Amino acid sequence: MDIYTAVISLSATRKHVMTSVANHRTVASLAKVCYLLAGGEDVFRKSPFLSLNINFIIPPLRLDNEACKVMRESVAYGIPVMANVFGQRGASSPVSVIKSVCQTIAETLAGLLICRVLDPNSKVICGPRSMVTDLRTGGMAAGSGEQTKTTSLLRQMMRYYNLLNSSIAGASDSNIPDYQAGYEKALTIATSAQLESNLI
């Protein structure tokens, strides 16, 4: 399924495609497809048009074995890695904003370190996401002001370290396309853009 998803996505656009892979053995086949489409391995490595979204860590601070193998294979074949961390404040990371941001940054830097140890020239985008949990329901509060504040602190840390980064934005806690949905989406996207996220 991962190969089909990538091939169908690549055949439908000339833009960069970001996808994911569940099994590390799939990466070699995916790389062959990319090399074929690019006109050679060197051409793809110079200007990759596909990257892999990898949630390599299970907060708090536990590496996912299979996801790390996918990361290793991606680096070996020259496929850029989006090193994602998805802690949830109040669930898998501290409820405190600062403590949650600290944990998320540590986990994100671990992913960057893994890739750079494997290949100092590996292409990595850091994806620190500290999601907010509604402690009354246990659900995510992705459109909340607290989420925007947390995202802005994470972006500032990425700018401090001068690292390519992505942010998650555009979510809403509304169940219908109403004013709340529009406001929350606009707020989170505008904040990420103003903080110069490389990828939103």
Side-chain angles (χ1 to χ4, degrees):
M1 185 186 84
D2 295 333
I3 291 288
Y4 293 142
T5 301
V7 169
I8 289 168
S9 298
L10 288 167
S11 67
T13 184
R14 292 182 182 271
K15 295 179 182 178
H16 188 96
V17 169
M18 185 175 291
T19 186
S20 60
V21 170
N23 188 313
H24 71 278
R25 292 180 185 88
T26 307
V27 178
S29 300
L30 186 56
K32 288 178 185 175
V33 169
C34 290
Y35 298 163
L36 182 66
L37 291 172
E41 180 177 346
D42 291 341
V43 179
F44 177 78
R45 285 179 179 268
K46 281 182 187 173
S47 184
F49 46 79
L50 178 130
S51 56
L52 291 180
N53 200 0
I54 304 172
N55 299 332
F56 68 96
I57 207 157
I58 304 165
L61 300 165
R62 290 175 294 148
L63 295 172
D64 180 274
N65 188 42
E66 184 57 34
C68 286
K69 288 179 181 177
V70 170
M71 189 180 284
R72 180 193 66 203
E73 294 297 300
S74 300
V75 169
Y77 287 105
I79 299 173
V81 169
M82 167 86 85
N84 279 336
V85 173
F86 274 99
Q88 277 193 262
R89 282 179 44 201
S92 58
S93 75
V95 74
S96 156
V97 176
I98 298 300
K99 289 179 182 177
S100 177
V101 166
C102 288
Q103 177 185 312
T104 302
I105 293 297
E107 292 168 338
T108 303
L109 293 177
L112 178 65
L113 180 63
I114 289 168
C115 292
R116 293 291 159 83
V117 165
L118 292 167
D119 180 356
N121 297 315
S122 59
K123 294 177 175 69
V124 185
I125 299 173
C126 296
R129 289 104 164 79
S130 180
M131 307 304 290
V132 176
T133 304
D134 182 338
L135 297 178
R136 292 171 298 172
T137 64
M140 283 183 20
S144 66
E146 292 84 359
Q147 181 64 62
T148 304
K149 181 179 179 181
T150 305
T151 298
S152 72
L153 289 171
L154 289 167
R155 293 290 71 69
Q156 289 176 56
M157 289 303 296
M158 291 291 98
R159 286 175 60 195
Y160 174 79
Y161 290 121
N162 196 27
L163 295 171
L164 289 175
N165 66 88
S166 70
S167 65
I168 192 162
S172 172
D173 296 326
S174 176
N175 295 321
I176 58 172
D178 60 1
Y179 290 109
Q180 177 189 347
Y183 174 81
E184 290 175 346
K185 287 173 180 287
L187 177 66
T188 56
I189 292 170
T191 302
S192 293
Q194 290 166 353
L195 290 163
E196 301 175 4
S197 291
N198 300 103
L199 180 64
I200 300 174

